[in-house]
Amino acid sequence: MSPFIHSKRVIADCVAAFDLFAVVAASAIAKWAYVDLFLGSDQHIDIYLAAGLIGAAIAFMSLRNQNFYTFDMLASMRGQIRRILVGLAMTALILIGAAYAFKISAHFSRGWFISWFALSAVLLFSGHFVVVRLLRRWMRAGFFGRNIAIYGGGEIARRLIERLTFKKDGPRLVGVFDDFPAEGASRVVIAGGLSDLISLAQAERVDEVVIAIPLSQDRRIGRLVEELAVLPADIRLCPDLTAFRMRPVGIVNYDGVPVLEIARRPLDHWGPVIKAFEDRVLAALLLLMVAPVLLLVAAAIRLDSEGPVLFRQRRHGFNHQVITVLKFRTMRVAEDGPMVQQARQNDARVTRVGRFLRRTSLDELPQLINVLRGDMSLVGPRPHALAHNEHFSSLVEHYARRHRMKPGITGWAQVNGLRGETDTPEKMRRRIEHDLYYIENWSLWFDIRILALTPFLGLFHKNAY
């Protein structure tokens, strides 16, 4: 098998190219079958091919936005059919809108359009079914497992071996090498020295060599890199035991100076623009839709108890900035000081209307104004009162990391049932785990998924007192 077949990226790119070709080919086949044979028309194929190329490009971008072209996704049929249908549906809607806007819809047959997308779905489904079968066969044969050699026989090497997961389709350790192993330093079995490592890599496939010695031995590391540079393999450095605690995400280069990258900002490049556009547009539309509900709720609060309609509370937002969050008033008190008691079951402070508003989450609707002001996002970690922030930041590990993104009206924790009182650190810890997962895995599709689930899983909950 060609060495390129061992690259998961090459496999994914080839599948993406097949999908592009399939959508274009489907437009041409549909034109021949429906327009030429069935209708007996002699229209030129150019406009149909042009539509096919544009449709293929839109479908590709839609599928890529769903993280479709990753090896793990392509190796399993689970979720593929839904993503393909969503991608084709988005493509069809965009093309229909464009044809209507440019007044060119009369040039295309509706029958051809339906035939094109039906045939595209069939080709993509069948093609990906074959791809899944092939990839699973190659994975069982171990074609995608990276062969890794480790240079260094000390404690760093031992810890590195423990962290590596050796599966059939995962990394395979071909040996540990060291010219100066410390006696009794670890239980690592040494297969030889540097010359043995180079000889092995020249005789067999070694994809990666990891240098696992302390950074203090900089001269030795420099000599090793020069010696290993003769090999067609990735040369990587496991600096020291600090890497195991901080989990670096990559290496960046500042004018020739390599720097270990420990964490990345959750939104970069187009991310902030896309999320800001999503927040402003959807928040404005939602405010227009729920305006009658806002008026009814405000009237009910006025009639039920004395006090203002809106409750304002200071909370920590993006980058620990203090923001004023708006909510419908649901209690007879308005706590916003160093001590804020969370609502409990059968809490006497909650009004009759407030109990209904809290149970249905209607009290959160004024936060749409916060979204329009830029203080909050539609989706993100829920903001907590300043007093709760100070309390839990010292009890829950990584609590402060949730402020790396704007707080949201709804979030991944909420649609997973983590709402209501957090009277124990464990409850807050579970909520934080979900918040951090969202921050580290944000995408536009993830936001849409959470927003779609919120009416069913995020509004009503037994813990919302």
Side-chain angles (χ1 to χ4, degrees):
M1 182 177 288
S2 168
F4 294 106
I5 204 67
H6 298 287
S7 171
K8 295 181 178 181
R9 182 68 264 170
V10 170
I11 293 292
D13 290 342
C14 289
V15 174
F18 166 80
D19 289 351
L20 286 167
F21 175 80
V23 176
V24 176
S27 68
I29 296 172
K31 192 268 179 187
W32 170 76
Y34 188 84
V35 178
D36 293 350
L37 297 183
F38 184 75
L39 296 181
S41 175
D42 58 350
Q43 280 185 286
H44 205 276
I45 197 173
D46 287 354
I47 60 171
Y48 293 94
L49 283 179
L53 288 169
I54 296 172
I58 297 172
F60 169 76
M61 289 186 289
S62 178
L63 290 170
R64 188 179 64 175
N65 192 51
Q66 300 177 61
N67 295 320
F68 186 72
Y69 295 113
T70 62
F71 185 87
D72 292 338
M73 172 61 66
L74 298 175
S76 172
M77 282 303 296
R78 184 177 181 182
Q80 286 202 41
I81 294 178
R82 176 175 60 84
R83 284 174 168 81
I84 290 173
L85 290 175
V86 170
L88 291 178
M90 289 290 294
T91 303
L93 289 174
I94 292 173
L95 288 178
I96 292 173
Y100 178 81
F102 292 101
K103 299 180 180 180
I104 58 174
S105 57
H107 297 290
F108 298 93
S109 164
R110 285 175 293 181
W112 165 81
F113 191 84
I114 295 172
S115 302
W116 173 26
F117 278 88
L119 185 57
S120 295
V122 171
L123 290 176
L124 292 182
F125 292 156
S126 56
H128 280 260
F129 178 78
V130 174
V131 168
V132 169
R133 298 292 296 272
L134 282 175
L135 293 185
R136 287 181 176 176
R137 179 183 300 175
W138 291 340
M139 289 166 64
R140 286 193 296 268
F143 287 112
F144 298 107
R146 288 177 65 83
N147 291 340
I148 296 179
I150 296 176
Y151 186 89
E155 187 65 12
I156 299 176
R158 186 184 67 80
R159 293 288 297 274
L160 177 61
I161 294 170
E162 289 179 354
R163 292 298 180 95
L164 288 173
T165 303
F166 298 106
K167 302 183 294 183
K168 289 183 178 180
D169 60 330
R172 184 172 69 91
L173 182 63
V174 297
V176 180
F177 304 82
D178 199 344
D179 291 292
F180 309 103
E183 294 183 5
S186 69
R187 298 184 297 275
V188 176
V189 177
I190 305 300
L194 178 60
S195 60
D196 299 302
L197 168 56
I198 294 175
S199 297
L200 174 69
Q202 290 174 339
E204 300 178 15
R205 182 172 64 89
V206 175
D207 302 296
E208 182 177 331
V209 178
V210 179
I211 300 174
I213 60 177
L215 285 176
S216 58
Q217 302 182 27
D218 54 335
R219 292 187 179 180
R220 186 183 176 196
I221 292 173
R223 183 180 64 83
L224 285 170
V225 171
E226 283 204 16
E227 295 282 350
L228 293 169
V230 302
L231 301 177
D234 294 331
I235 311 300
R236 295 180 178 174
L237 175 65
C238 184
D240 50 35
L241 297 182
T242 305
F244 296 105
R245 294 191 292 270
M246 293 191 295
R247 297 182 182 181
V249 296
I251 300 287
V252 294
N253 190 297
Y254 290 126
D255 197 20
V257 179
V259 179
L260 199 64
E261 189 177 16
I262 303 302
R264 292 177 180 149
R265 64 176 68 186
L267 294 178
D268 205 355
H269 303 299
W270 281 97
V273 178
I274 293 173
K275 193 160 179 64
F277 181 80
E278 167 199 345
D279 286 336
R280 298 303 202 284
V281 173
L282 292 182
L285 292 175
L286 287 172
L287 267 177
L288 290 175
M289 292 172 57
V290 302
V293 177
L294 296 177
L295 294 175
L296 289 175
V297 171
I301 293 172
R302 280 290 192 186
L303 294 173
D304 181 58
S305 60
E306 295 183 357
V309 170
L310 293 179
F311 166 57
R312 294 172 171 82
Q313 187 179 66
R314 292 175 302 155
R315 301 187 178 187
H316 276 126
F318 174 69
N319 203 19
H320 293 84
Q321 296 175 356
V322 177
I323 61 174
T324 301
V325 174
L326 302 176
K327 296 180 67 174
F328 279 125
R329 182 177 59 83
T330 58
M331 292 186 174
R332 296 179 176 86
V333 297
E335 296 177 337
D336 188 24
M339 296 292 294
V340 177
Q341 182 180 349
Q342 289 185 312
R344 304 170 182 263
Q345 192 170 13
N346 300 319
D347 197 320
R349 299 173 300 164
V350 180
T351 64
R352 291 176 299 174
V353 171
R355 187 162 286 108
F356 172 77
L357 295 179
R358 297 175 75 91
R359 182 60 59 89
T360 58
S361 297
L362 290 175
D363 61 322
E364 311 284 357
L365 288 180
Q367 289 169 32
L368 291 171
I369 299 174
N370 285 108
V371 176
L372 287 178
R373 291 195 310 201
D375 298 333
M376 293 179 62
S377 179
L378 287 176
V379 182
R382 285 292 300 151
H384 297 152
L386 299 185
H388 298 156
N389 250 28
E390 297 296 331
H391 174 68
F392 283 109
S393 61
S394 60
L395 296 177
V396 180
E397 188 181 15
H398 306 318
Y399 179 90
R401 294 185 183 181
R402 65 198 310 272
H403 297 299
R404 298 171 66 215
M405 186 174 281
K406 286 184 182 181
I409 299 178
T410 184
W412 185 235
Q414 282 62 47
V415 298
N416 280 278
L418 300 175
R419 289 189 57 201
E421 184 183 9
T422 51
D423 51 348
T424 66
E426 181 57 32
K427 288 183 179 179
M428 181 59 77
R429 189 172 292 109
R430 290 184 60 212
R431 183 179 292 184
I432 298 306
E433 287 175 356
H434 283 72
D435 288 341
L436 295 183
Y437 178 85
Y438 167 78
I439 291 173
E440 294 168 1
N441 294 275
W442 176 86
S443 69
L444 177 61
W445 176 250
F446 199 3
D447 273 2
I448 294 173
R449 178 184 176 188
I450 293 172
L451 290 172
L453 290 174
T454 295
F456 307 100
L457 301 177
L459 296 183
F460 305 93
H461 199 269
K462 61 181 180 180
N463 294 334
Y465 305 136

